[in-house]
Amino acid sequence: MYASHTRRLLRRDRGARAHGGAARRRASTPLLCLIGAILLVAISRHTLLPKMPFLGSFWRVSLAPGGYIPTPKSHGVKYELHTLPVDAKAVADGDTITVYVDTADPRESGNVPCEVQEAAAERTKARAAKNYEKADTLQKIIVDAGYRQVPGLTGEQVLAKKYRVRLRGIDAPENSMPYGREAKEELVKLVQGRTLKISIYDTDRYGRLVGDVDCNGVFVQEHMLKKGLTWHYTAYDQRPELAEWEKQAQAGGLGLWALPNPEKPWEWRKEKRTRKW
């Protein structure tokens, strides 16, 4: 009797385990299907979508109907400037520009000194009253603090912060050097009247901000290098894409590379300093 009872308990236990196993198998089927679907989607995306190549440590390049469009990554960038339209007179040479940022920009508004805000408001009133002597006095206060009232995006006068920017990774011939004038004119043609997005990395010994400049989807340093109007400034920037763009212009004999032995601007400046002493 005892043995018979034990056999019944064993059969019941085996049945329960079999039922539980079937339940677990039924429960796992949807999960396996879901995992399979995810894998299929991942494989199809990898196969069908174009791969996104990278250039150096900063610029990601994507194909577009008009060519390459650089997209800045955040690595090493301290902050960005979003400028007002650039005036032609603000281009000093082929690698340096002065830009203005509207103080209404949230990135700027909290940093404007009170005396500058007050001077700008009073200057606007003085100009409206045709009291130009007072307006000029107030203008000096504004300019000495690093600001200026300039035309905004809609043409009205706005208070703007002034920044001098050195284009990162390139060195243009000085204005008095061969192709110095051409480099400046090309940069003017590219940025005049346009707003810029500038990714700032550092400040140089002259107090200029050092950054990468985007002008309506055009990476300005790339444009200038491919035109053969600037050198890759290897002493301060080792990005391989800049070297490649310089090689392309050199191979095509473009710009300064049409010269038999173009002089490096940093060597020209060094020699000029030596002659002074």
Side-chain angles (χ1 to χ4, degrees), residues 15 32 53 59 96 111 187-188 192 196 210 231 237-238 269:
L32 291 172
W59 292 97
T96 305
N111 301 318
L187 186 55
V188 168
Q192 182 180 8
L196 308 176
V210 180
W231 294 75
D237 195 317
Q238 298 294 322
R269 291 191 296 268

Side-chain angles (χ1 to χ4, degrees), residues 76-263:
V77 178
K78 293 181 179 178
Y79 55 91
E80 285 186 350
L81 299 178
H82 296 257
T83 78
L84 291 166
V86 176
D87 187 271
K89 296 179 181 178
V91 178
D93 51 38
D95 56 39
T96 305
I97 55 177
T98 297
V99 298
Y100 291 91
V101 178
D102 191 343
T103 56
D105 188 314
R107 291 170 285 259
E108 290 287 343
S109 58
N111 301 318
V112 185
C114 292
E115 59 270 22
V116 172
Q117 294 176 343
E118 292 170 1
E122 289 300 315
R123 181 175 182 270
T124 300
K125 293 177 184 177
R127 286 179 60 84
K130 297 184 179 181
N131 186 348
Y132 299 117
E133 183 178 352
K134 182 179 180 180
D136 290 344
T137 301
L138 293 165
Q139 173 75 347
K140 187 176 186 307
I141 296 172
I142 296 167
V143 171
D144 287 349
Y147 292 82
R148 189 179 291 271
Q149 286 183 306
V150 298
L153 294 174
T154 58
E156 82 288 1
Q157 291 283 310
V158 299
L159 179 64
K161 173 69 173 177
K162 176 183 177 181
Y163 293 98
R164 289 186 70 220
V165 178
R166 178 70 161 77
L167 276 63
R168 177 175 176 245
I170 64 172
D171 196 5
E174 299 296 326
N175 289 331
S176 58
M177 294 178 67
Y179 283 92
R181 179 176 56 82
E182 289 85 347
K184 178 179 177 178
E185 289 175 353
E186 183 64 28
L187 186 55
V188 168
K189 185 170 69 174
L190 181 61
V191 303
Q192 182 180 8
R194 295 183 173 89
T195 59
L196 308 176
K197 182 170 68 175
I198 307 175
S199 301
I200 303 300
Y201 284 81
D202 206 351
T203 303
D204 70 8
R205 59 180 175 171
Y206 302 107
R208 299 173 300 187
L209 300 177
V210 180
D212 283 328
V213 181
D214 177 278
C215 178
N216 290 352
V218 175
F219 181 20
V220 175
Q221 284 97 309
E222 176 185 359
H223 178 89
M224 297 296 288
L225 283 165
K226 285 184 173 180
K227 288 281 186 178
L229 295 172
T230 59
W231 294 75
H232 176 203
Y233 210 173
T234 55
Y236 295 96
D237 195 317
Q238 298 294 322
R239 284 179 288 180
E241 61 269 28
L242 272 64
E244 179 59 32
W245 295 329
E246 182 183 65
K247 287 178 183 176
Q248 290 177 22
Q250 191 172 10
L254 302 177
L256 62 89
W257 302 111
L259 300 172
N261 188 27
E263 187 174 9

Side-chain angles (χ1 to χ4, degrees), residues 28-41:
S28 65
T29 299
L31 179 60
L32 291 172
C33 291
L34 177 60
I35 292 172
I38 292 171
L39 288 173
L40 286 172
V41 170

